[in-house]
Amino acid sequence: MARMRRSRVLEKLRAGKIAGCVKLNLGDPRVAEIAAASGVDCLWLDLEHIPNDLREIENQIRAAKVHDVDTVVRVARGSYSDLVYPLEMDATGIMVPHVMSADDARKIAWQTRFHPIGRRPLDGGNADGAYCTIPAAEYVRQANEERFVIVQIEDPEPLAELDEIAKVPGIDILLFGPGDFSHAIGCIGCFDDPRVVEAERQVIEAARRHGKFAAAVATMESMPRKIAAGAQMINVGADVLALTEYFGRIAQAFKEQDARVGA
């Protein structure tokens, strides 16, 4: 009998290990294939800020699966279809931005989880259901077991309801968003501001307190600190950062050579 591909991220998190992730802004499946071939556990694909279309995301998911790498798609906030499209394309998880309350989290779980957790519309005829080759009851069971939902806490408002949000069945991972949080408190980009640091601590601790996993965005330098604080899923870097840094070094080398020639 056909079955869903198991999630590398969930396997590692459930074993108490660290799951590594990198973010892709570019929509080309070759970018996803290169990133997946590096050996990371998960690729973060984006539909919130990036003008990627669903076909590009679908092909990136396929490219990652060639290397047995998970994909999590940050969705656009809209109808329930916006939430489930990536799952039916066989993304391993979705990330829902700007979750503002426990009621918001409960609605997300209701729309994206199958019975008995929620009321996600049932199809099974897409990539995640192996095109109707997984029996319906088994498809529902495996989807609830091997697919994950991340909610982003990136505003001050939901901090008062963190425990209620973390309790919601069907929500697997809480991810603090320092960029938007710093914007919301009027200190844009101040990731070391005590209010930002404290908010992330609260999110991580609420997740762990209620048996959920905590995720964080980090740099190579801050990653050990985020892990020590209790985050298990860590995103470091992005394709656009890699490209701008690499091409910037090449351009600088040309400038240095030009200066020597003209001296």
Side-chain angles (χ1 to χ4, degrees):
M1 179 180 68
R3 63 168 292 112
M4 281 187 162
R5 177 187 162 274
R6 64 92 176 87
S7 166
R8 281 176 60 155
V9 167
L10 289 176
E11 186 174 63
K12 295 189 79 170
L13 296 183
R14 290 165 180 165
K17 298 179 180 180
I18 303 303
C21 183
V22 295
K23 185 176 184 292
L24 303 185
N25 280 33
L26 303 177
D28 194 302
R30 287 171 293 188
V31 176
E33 186 173 10
I34 292 167
S38 73
V40 297
D41 299 306
C42 185
L43 306 183
W44 168 347
L45 312 178
D46 206 285
L47 286 169
E48 182 195 17
H49 290 291
I50 318 301
N52 293 323
D53 62 33
L54 290 174
R55 188 70 69 192
E56 289 171 323
I57 296 295
E58 181 180 36
N59 285 329
Q60 288 191 310
I61 292 168
R62 288 195 185 106
K65 286 164 62 177
V66 168
H67 296 279
D68 193 28
V69 167
D70 284 12
T71 47
V72 57
V73 179
R74 181 160 61 179
V75 298
R77 296 299 300 261
S79 73
Y80 76 83
S81 295
D82 294 296
L83 304 183
V84 301
Y85 275 145
L87 294 171
E88 294 191 334
M89 294 186 292
D90 209 19
T92 328
I94 61 168
M95 181 189 303
V96 185
H98 291 286
V99 173
M100 300 299 284
S101 67
D103 281 343
D104 197 8
R106 282 188 282 267
K107 183 177 180 181
I108 290 162
W110 180 257
Q111 292 177 324
T112 59
R113 291 304 203 174
F114 290 123
H115 178 84
I117 302 169
R119 200 70 61 78
R120 172 182 160 184
L122 178 63
D123 191 312
N126 297 299
D128 66 328
Y131 303 104
C132 290
T133 61
I134 303 175
E138 192 61 21
Y139 164 61
V140 165
R141 185 190 69 79
Q142 291 178 28
N144 281 346
E145 179 72 17
E146 293 293 341
R147 298 296 176 262
F148 57 86
V149 175
I150 301 175
V151 293
Q152 278 194 279
I153 307 298
E154 43 192 345
D155 301 275
E157 290 85 348
L159 293 183
E161 297 186 51
L162 280 180
D163 283 301
E164 291 304 310
I165 291 169
K167 287 179 184 178
V168 174
I171 301 301
D172 303 285
I173 302 170
L174 274 63
L175 169 64
F176 178 70
D180 277 315
F181 193 91
S182 70
H183 172 229
I185 63 173
C187 190
I188 300 168
C190 302
F191 300 150
D192 292 329
D193 184 285
R195 294 168 292 177
V196 176
V197 174
E198 172 61 16
E200 183 166 54
R201 183 193 67 79
Q202 291 180 37
V203 171
I204 291 173
E205 291 186 358
R208 293 176 64 86
R209 192 158 50 242
H210 296 285
K212 305 298 176 70
F213 302 111
V217 293
T219 62
M220 297 286 282
E221 293 72 29
S222 68
M223 178 167 49
R225 174 169 56 82
K226 301 292 181 85
I227 293 171
Q232 280 183 258
M233 184 177 182
I234 308 291
N235 186 92
V236 174
D239 52 3
V240 291
L241 293 174
L243 287 170
T244 52
E245 191 274 334
Y246 181 68
F247 290 135
R249 285 194 287 116
I250 292 173
Q252 182 59 35
F254 281 131
K255 290 176 183 177
E256 290 171 0
Q257 291 299 318
D258 191 44
R260 291 191 185 99
V261 170

